[in-house]
Amino acid sequence: MPDVTLTTLQGLKQRGEKIVMLTCYDATFAQTASQAGIEVLLVGDSLGMVLQGHDSTLPTSVAEMAYHTTCVRRGNRGALIVTDLPFMSYASLDQALESSAQVMRAGAHMVKLEGGAWLCETVTRLAENGIPACVHLGLTPQSVNLFGGYKVQGRDEGRARQLRADAEALERAGAAMLLLECVPSPLAEQITRAAGVPVIGIGAGAATDGQVLVMHDMLGLSLTGRTPKFVKDFMAGQENIQAAFAAYTHAVKQGEFPTAEHGFSA
Ligand code: KIV
Ligand code: NA
């Protein structure tokens, strides 16, 4: 796979070819996933849960995100690396710039932040400094305490309208990519059609420009014993992890994953 860049992802959106993204936290899996054709590796703050065993993503630090990014960078074979800015590491513009600098120096090609239109100025400042930003909308796990749990977002018209407006404003502010988590499939389709930048989904239906899953979930591993509705076990029936990654890539590219059972209705 030739090195994936932002231009590659924009081209995939324009041609209607699905973008395949997976979380990744170390060198061996980075090599395996990128060699399986996974185009985007997300060093997600989900590492706080799946690697560190916390019950939320909130305890994860910028230093930890940078450390895992360096590990992923060493194993990566051409994928685009996106690293999450963790909880409270972008509450001010200065913090956002400093946190982003740390993960970009560690090897990220893009940073991801959770929020809404209030991040417009941050996204613009990052872009001015050469840092592409992906904004994570919908169910944003860093706000789990405000939401009162991990709940589907945008089922009522007020919140749906807010999410559409957030997406539009953030694109105008210079966001390079958007990510929708746990929103009704019809809303994700509207946002994807309206957006000029790639929109990745998780629990957002089949119409987004690409899909992402947490690696442990799609390998059928779970610390809690609970599997979210949007997860599919790609290890089932496969000989090894390489084959599971290839099956995931194939299913997303062919539009075979996700199906209606993995999504949420309006
Ligand atoms: O941290 C993470 O793994 C994520 C994905 C669930 C999108 O943000
Ligand atoms: Na995350």
Side-chain angles (χ1 to χ4, degrees):
M1 177 166 73
D3 284 2
V4 175
T5 66
L6 193 48
T7 312
T8 316
L9 301 183
Q10 286 157 349
L12 290 171
K13 176 177 174 111
Q14 276 154 20
R15 293 198 301 279
E17 187 182 327
K18 297 291 182 184
I19 297 165
V20 189
M21 180 169 178
L22 186 66
T23 70
C24 191
Y25 318 100
D26 74 14
T28 304
F29 284 117
Q31 180 175 309
T32 307
S34 55
Q35 287 179 337
I38 290 167
E39 287 138 343
V40 187
L41 300 179
L42 173 63
V43 185
D45 62 353
S46 53
L47 71 83
M49 299 173 82
V50 296
L51 299 193
Q52 299 173 330
H54 296 297
D55 61 4
S56 79
T57 60
L58 274 61
T60 308
S61 69
V62 176
E64 289 164 349
M65 297 308 299
Y67 166 76
H68 286 282
T69 302
T70 61
C71 298
V72 167
R73 156 200 231 167
R74 291 186 198 115
N76 179 34
R77 301 290 180 269
L80 184 103
I81 300 172
V82 180
T83 297
D84 272 344
L85 298 189
F87 178 65
M88 284 302 286
S89 70
Y90 49 100
S92 71
L93 272 180
D94 285 345
Q95 271 185 308
L97 289 166
E98 178 49 36
S99 304
S100 299
Q102 282 191 55
V103 300
M104 295 294 284
R105 287 188 192 111
H109 303 113
M110 187 186 297
V111 300
K112 179 163 79 61
L113 310 80
E114 296 183 6
W118 61 274
L119 284 172
C120 282
E121 193 182 354
T122 304
V123 162
T124 302
R125 285 292 298 278
L126 289 171
E128 285 168 354
N129 284 279
I131 302 172
C134 171
V135 184
H136 184 151
L137 301 168
L139 171 52
T140 47
Q142 292 170 18
S143 300
V144 60
N145 295 294
L146 199 61
F147 293 151
Y150 296 97
K151 297 174 185 167
V152 178
Q153 301 291 310
R155 276 196 157 139
D156 61 288
E157 187 41 40
R159 177 82 166 119
R161 197 177 315 117
Q162 183 195 12
L163 288 168
R164 284 192 296 264
D166 283 348
E168 202 184 309
L170 287 158
E171 181 179 343
R172 225 179 307 119
M177 196 157 88
L178 299 171
L179 188 148
L180 298 173
E181 176 166 353
C182 292
V183 301
S185 306
L187 174 62
E189 182 167 0
Q190 289 168 359
I191 292 173
T192 304
R193 289 215 177 134
V197 296
V199 179
I200 309 295
I202 176 166
T208 53
D209 300 310
Q211 297 292 328
V212 62
L213 285 175
V214 170
M215 183 191 81
H216 295 61
D217 290 343
M218 59 81 80
L219 292 178
L221 300 171
S222 171
L223 260 182
T224 61
R226 287 189 307 268
T227 305
K229 183 176 194 277
F230 53 78
V231 170
K232 179 173 174 182
D233 176 2
F234 284 93
M235 196 64 218
Q238 301 297 340
E239 293 267 304
N240 55 35
I241 289 170
Q242 289 89 323
F245 286 174
Y248 171 60
T249 303
H250 180 85
V252 172
K253 289 284 181 195
Q254 297 306 310
E256 293 163 5
F257 175 80
T259 59
E261 68 182 292
H262 303 110
F264 300 100
S265 59

